[in-house]
Amino acid sequence: MSALADLMSTASPRPNPRGCDLPTCPVCADSMIAAEASAYLADNAISYLWTCDTCGYGFVTKHSVKSRFICN
């Protein structure tokens, strides 16, 4: 008995920009899904704490924001 399957493309016309910027562990190359913690810094930047679930290595990334967030 033969099977027939439809293959669906995983490429999207406009990929999610957040999905493209996710880091990988510099030690074991495992992919990271979510930061363990984040903090908004005074110099219009956001700092993220990443910890690898596979090897336990931790590191921090820092990203600039164009303008300060205002809560209403």
Side-chain angles (χ1 to χ4, degrees):
M1 175 181 229
S2 64
L4 183 62
D6 290 335
L7 297 176
M8 299 180 76
S9 173
T10 57
S12 64
R14 289 178 19 152
N16 184 353
R18 295 190 76 201
C20 299
D21 296 335
L22 293 175
T24 57
C25 177
V27 174
C28 70
D30 192 16
S31 58
M32 308 274 196
I33 301 300
E36 187 171 329
S38 63
Y40 184 76
L41 306 175
D43 57 350
N44 290 339
I46 299 175
S47 177
Y48 296 99
L49 170 64
W50 300 89
T51 305
C52 180
D53 290 334
T54 303
C55 71
Y57 181 77
F59 59 96
V60 174
T61 59
K62 186 176 176 183
H63 303 275
S64 320
V65 291
K66 294 179 182 177
S67 62
R68 188 173 182 125
F69 295 108
I70 299 173
C71 297
N72 295 336

